[in-house]
Amino acid sequence: MKTAKTQNMLAEQLDSWQASGDMDTILQQHPDAAEDVRPLLETAAQLSRYYAVVPEPPNDLRAGRDIVLRAAEEKRAQRHPTSSVPSSRKGWLSDLRQLPTLLRHNWRLLGAVLAILLLFLPLSVPVARAADNSIPGDLLYPIKMAEEDYRLANAERPEIRAILALTFVNERIEEVRTLVRNDQRIPDTMNNRIYQLTYYALESTAWSTEAVTPIMLEYILWQYNTYVQELAYLKLHVDEKHQQQLNQVYSLCVNQYQMARLARNSPDKFRAAYQAGKPERLIVTERGLLQSSAGDVARAYVAWLTEKQSIRVRD
Amino acid sequence: MTSEYALLKRAQAYDKQAIGELYDQYAPLIYAYLYRRLRDAQLAEDLTGDVFVRVLQAIQSEQFWERSFRAWLYRIAHNLMVDYFRRQQDVPPLSLDEQLVADLASPVSAQAEALSYQQLRSAISQLTLDQQQVLALRFGEQLLTREVADIMGKSVGAIEALQHRALTKLRDIVHGEEE
């Protein structure tokens, strides 16, 4: 009774039994396995009887309904980010999603949209590819951001969204590097975007399955460890003006590293906090860890720097 | 566009009427599931409210519910229950289930049946949380294997194996206690 075939047969017999309720007829169809299967079907039948008794809810579920409706009212009143998609560019994307419904009822609009598509379609692919290499301040940069948002909003599973979000953080770090190299200013929006993407990665991880969450948290931690080290290295090689700008991105990445570390150390609390939309709960409950993790970042950085630059560090 | 999808889109905008309709439709289902897992009506009712509060917090991310809103609700309910157990650091007390006794017909057979349920309850508590979940979904909620697979984020083959292990272990525990 240990092979996949037997497990599959049991599953089929359970389905048949649940549909017909006739155990004997089902067992007669597989007489050779009946001896093994019968006790399991009987256990399943006993379980069904056990589970069938459910008392009426003590308060008729009214209190919960009131709480939920009150929460909905509060949410409606706040009504800030309408989705987890980073808010800065979400608006027109969500409007775009309504377009098929609008077009179904408006033939003139459909004609206009088709005309626009025919006009611009030959250009769209090269434009999107050109946008891939754009940096903040470029004309095509908003297209790059919109494409990222679209991919995030349409990722099939939470963990895929998390990985995508981290890939885009990586892209932002690369852009920071390019901006510094070109002696251009790092825009203030860079921090917001990195913060939003990180929150997105952590939130998606919190909603992935329990088994996947710790693996994803390890991955996020490792990624941020790398970002912190890269930015620290970059800071050493830029002028004072860029150093100040880099400090902001660096501090943000250290904070996100610490958050990921807290999450990795307490995945259950992390899931509860992020699923509730209250990440601050994780910080409050794990303050001690937060302090120690700052030291770890510093140690990791010194270790990395030592290796990178062959600097001798005194014990 | 299904009527449920339309309802969910309205709920995304925190439309109270839509949220109320979703609650009325699904809260009894989730309450029953939580009761089957916890055997505590008051706690099951409280957590049912919490499930829907969490729904509100995450309903904007359509990817969580676009495949199956019901499956998503079961997932949230399971996660909340696991969080609850971890906060409590122990399992609920195994007292005689008075409701079971009250619901059964003859006093003598009722007592015998309640004791056998008590034994079953104790045996279920010795299974892993995954095993408990698969049994509750299959034989409490009467869901198909593929529906359970969707809720638990596992393959159908994995659910079949889990179900087989859970039933075998449960039977061994009950049988061992009887001997």
Side-chain angles (χ1 to χ4, degrees):
Chain A
M1 291 293 293
K2 284 179 183 168
T3 64
K5 194 179 167 189
T6 319
Q7 288 161 356
N8 183 255
M9 190 177 71
L10 173 68
E12 280 174 12
Q13 295 196 356
L14 283 167
D15 285 344
S16 305
W17 163 70
Q18 281 181 314
S20 69
D22 184 356
M23 196 181 293
D24 289 330
T25 310
I26 291 157
L27 289 169
Q28 278 163 17
Q29 288 165 2
H30 300 277
D32 47 327
E35 198 184 327
D36 286 332
V37 173
R38 180 181 286 281
L40 299 182
L41 283 183
E42 282 171 353
T43 306
Q46 199 183 3
L47 268 175
S48 289
R49 288 195 298 276
Y50 169 75
Y51 283 133
V53 182
V54 176
E56 288 296 315
N59 301 306
D60 202 23
L61 298 170
R62 277 193 306 272
R65 193 179 200 280
D66 292 344
I67 290 169
V68 171
L69 293 183
R70 259 203 314 277
E73 211 166 76
E74 283 170 19
K75 287 267 180 195
R76 200 182 167 91
Q78 292 168 1
R79 197 79 175 117
H80 55 93
T82 52
S83 89
S84 301
V85 176
S87 58
S88 54
R89 284 164 305 282
K90 174 189 61 54
W92 72 270
L93 256 184
S94 58
D95 291 345
L96 207 59
R97 284 179 166 193
Q98 307 296 325
L99 201 57
T101 316
L102 279 174
L103 292 179
R104 220 175 292 151
H105 305 290
N106 194 332
W107 291 103
R108 268 189 198 169
L109 184 60
L110 177 64
V113 168
L114 281 176
I116 292 168
L117 280 178
L118 283 173
L119 201 63
F120 288 102
L121 204 60
L123 286 174
S124 60
V125 173
V127 166
R129 291 291 71 80
D132 283 351
N133 298 321
S134 62
I135 55 170
D138 286 355
L139 193 65
L140 294 178
Y141 193 70
I143 294 175
K144 185 179 181 178
M145 294 294 98
E147 194 186 342
E148 285 184 2
D149 286 346
Y150 180 82
R151 289 176 66 191
L152 285 168
N154 288 283
E156 278 178 20
R157 302 178 66 86
E159 52 271 26
I160 294 175
R161 300 177 85 209
I163 291 170
L164 268 179
L166 288 174
T167 308
F168 299 148
V169 175
N170 204 34
E171 186 72 20
R172 297 295 85 73
I173 304 290
E174 279 304 313
E175 287 167 6
V176 166
R177 202 194 292 274
T178 309
L179 288 168
V180 170
R181 200 171 46 233
N182 297 350
D183 197 24
Q184 288 174 275
R185 193 176 183 285
I186 301 167
D188 297 335
T189 51
M190 183 64 82
N191 267 5
N192 293 340
R193 181 64 172 170
I194 291 175
Y195 178 79
Q196 284 168 340
L197 287 169
T198 311
Y199 185 83
Y200 210 27
L202 287 168
E203 188 198 39
S204 299
T205 299
W207 284 103
S208 60
T209 61
E210 274 180 80
V212 168
T213 299
I215 301 165
M216 281 305 303
L217 288 173
E218 267 314 325
Y219 179 66
I220 293 173
L221 194 62
W222 172 73
Q223 283 283 337
Y224 270 89
N225 196 9
T226 311
Y227 302 149
V228 167
Q229 291 170 8
E230 283 181 4
L231 288 169
Y233 182 71
L234 199 57
K235 270 172 50 176
L236 290 176
H237 295 86
V238 294
D239 58 28
E240 199 176 332
K241 176 187 72 181
H242 278 117
Q243 256 185 21
Q244 282 175 358
Q245 293 172 17
L246 271 174
N247 272 340
Q248 291 179 5
V249 184
Y250 174 79
S251 304
L252 175 70
C253 284
V254 170
N255 285 338
Q256 299 309 310
Y257 171 88
Q258 290 171 345
M259 190 58 115
R261 190 179 159 81
L262 292 185
R264 195 271 309 264
N265 289 339
S266 307
D268 300 330
K269 285 177 186 166
F270 157 73
R271 283 169 69 86
Y274 272 80
Q275 284 185 8
K278 296 191 180 303
E280 65 276 9
R281 283 186 189 164
L282 186 65
I283 301 170
V284 171
T285 54
E286 303 291 327
R287 194 170 288 154
L289 276 171
L290 191 65
Q291 284 161 359
S292 69
S293 67
D296 286 346
V297 176
R299 277 193 291 280
Y301 163 58
V302 171
W304 178 86
L305 202 61
T306 309
E307 189 190 336
K308 193 93 179 168
Q309 298 192 316
S310 302
I311 296 171
R312 284 192 61 142
V313 178
R314 250 185 243 167
D315 292 332
Chain B
M1 189 185 284
T2 63
S3 59
E4 180 170 275
Y5 184 79
L7 202 60
L8 285 161
K9 293 302 283 183
R10 280 168 53 209
Q12 267 191 319
Y14 303 116
D15 177 324
K16 274 176 77 175
Q17 197 192 344
I19 289 161
E21 279 182 46
L22 285 171
Y23 184 89
D24 294 340
Q25 189 178 338
Y26 287 104
L29 201 72
I30 295 302
Y31 162 76
Y33 170 68
L34 286 167
Y35 175 78
R36 288 181 181 117
R37 302 292 311 275
L38 297 160
R39 312 309 288 187
D40 179 333
Q42 188 60 59
L43 181 59
E45 182 165 6
D46 292 347
L47 287 183
T48 301
D50 291 349
V51 167
F52 283 85
V53 170
R54 281 206 184 177
V55 165
L56 284 186
Q57 283 158 352
I59 199 166
Q60 299 301 335
S61 301
E62 196 166 324
Q63 52 136 6
F64 295 139
W65 52 262
E66 66 186 352
R67 280 183 65 193
S68 165
F69 180 65
R70 189 173 67 153
W72 186 46
L73 286 178
Y74 278 122
R75 276 200 295 276
I76 296 175
H78 175 74
N79 289 343
L80 267 174
M81 201 183 52
V82 171
D83 291 345
Y84 171 80
F85 280 145
R86 286 182 179 145
R87 279 201 306 274
Q88 296 301 305
Q89 295 289 311
D90 62 11
V91 290
L94 288 173
S95 60
L96 250 185
D97 200 324
E98 288 173 13
Q99 186 65 37
L100 282 173
V101 177
D103 285 349
L104 295 165
S106 136
V108 178
S109 66
Q111 195 65 27
E113 188 80 326
L115 281 170
S116 111
Y117 283 156
Q118 193 60 28
Q119 199 182 22
L120 199 56
R121 186 180 174 189
S122 162
I124 291 170
S125 72
Q126 294 175 53
L127 303 179
T128 66
L129 280 176
D130 267 2
Q131 289 170 342
Q132 290 181 32
Q133 190 183 12
V134 84
L135 294 182
L137 291 171
R138 285 288 279 121
F139 307 112
E141 307 308 302
Q142 307 286 328
L143 299 180
L144 297 172
T145 311
R146 62 178 163 72
E147 293 175 301
V148 177
D150 196 25
I151 290 167
M152 294 181 68
K154 295 179 191 289
S155 68
V156 168
I159 294 299
E160 285 174 353
L162 190 60
Q163 169 180 264
H164 182 266
R165 280 199 302 275
L167 281 175
T168 308
K169 189 173 170 189
L170 191 66
R171 191 195 164 272
D172 288 349
I173 296 168
V174 173
H175 214 63
E177 284 175 5
E178 280 170 0
E179 281 168 358

